[in-house]
Amino acid sequence: MMRIAAYILMAAMAVSPFAAKASEGAHIEHQTWSFSGLFGTYDRAELQRGYQVYHEVCSSCHSMHLIAFRNLEELGLTEEQVKTIAASVEVQDGPNDDGEMFMRPGRPSDRFPRRFPNDQAARAANNGALPPDMSLITKARAGGADYIYSLLTGYLDTPPAGVTLSDGMHYNTAFPGNQIAMGRPLNDEQITYTDGTKATTAQMARDVSAFLTWASEPELEVRKSMGLKIILFLLVMTCVTYAAKRRLWANVH
């Protein structure tokens, strides 16, 4: 037991410097999520709204190249809806019989197209900053969904007294160092939700944070379900093994 405790302490000491560095100068507002906890699951309506926020706002700068259109069926969309969404974009294919690349309507099997052809083009269009791909963003950032939500709602129109922003930077309470190149992406009533939900900044931030969590962990519900089954199996086997041991050793003095 002491050895296990020592290992845990050593792991915490190894991780803590990096965690402190990641959160330096940042304020993360913790939220309650439907997918948190041992029995947590994704809210499909929330995920669909989150995809709408990504599609209408975030995709203008950020790619999600690891996600295919067919994956959207996991959000509760129908096969026909996914086909319509995929066909609304043009993707490059080829080469054809003449050895040339060509453009065609997207298919469900296609991945979300990249916003820019390369990193240099992305930096040139964003004042030198490189918009990260958002496929695994909640895994890549300490705080996960809480961090994304806090970042999207953490902009201040005016920095605190005594703080001077560098050229082209914006003040954000959740971003390490508090200066971020991305301007405020969300504003109240910026989009119109198809389900009639009021599109406040906080609502859009929650929805897209949940969607990005699903993109990073689409297997979350299956993993939790499997974990519960394994725990129940182990509990039953423990009881059976203990009962068998008692019976086998009952006459041994």
Side-chain angles (χ1 to χ4, degrees), residues 42-55 64 67-79 81-82 85 112 195 207-219 221:
Y42 289 122
D43 180 334
R44 262 51 189 181
E46 184 177 51
L47 296 184
Q48 291 181 30
R49 292 194 301 269
Y51 169 70
Q52 186 179 347
V53 175
Y54 167 76
H55 177 68
M64 292 188 72
I67 305 299
F69 288 106
R70 63 187 174 195
N71 297 140
L72 295 178
E73 289 189 38
E74 298 176 26
L75 308 187
L77 299 180
T78 66
E79 182 179 352
Q81 287 176 312
V82 171
I85 292 172
F112 289 8
D195 66 358
D207 293 338
V208 76
S209 296
F211 170 71
L212 294 176
T213 300
W214 164 82
S216 296
E217 297 185 88
E219 80 296 340
E221 292 171 323

Side-chain angles (χ1 to χ4, degrees), residues 76-99:
L77 299 180
T78 66
E79 182 179 352
E80 289 304 315
Q81 287 176 312
V82 171
K83 287 182 178 179
T84 299
I85 292 172
S88 67
V89 302
E90 292 284 311
V91 299
Q92 189 179 62
D93 202 348
N96 57 20
D97 293 340
D98 298 322

Side-chain angles (χ1 to χ4, degrees), residues 3-63:
R3 183 177 297 179
I4 295 175
Y7 288 153
I8 294 174
L9 179 60
M10 290 171 63
M13 292 175 65
V15 172
S16 59
F18 297 97
K21 182 177 180 181
S23 60
E24 183 178 355
H27 171 70
I28 306 301
E29 183 177 343
H30 297 289
Q31 297 288 302
T32 301
W33 303 99
S34 67
F35 47 82
S36 297
L38 186 62
F39 302 98
T41 59
Y42 289 122
D43 180 334
R44 262 51 189 181
E46 184 177 51
L47 296 184
Q48 291 181 30
R49 292 194 301 269
Y51 169 70
Q52 186 179 347
V53 175
Y54 167 76
H55 177 68
E56 296 188 21
V57 181
C58 308
S59 64
S60 61
C61 295
H62 296 275
S63 300

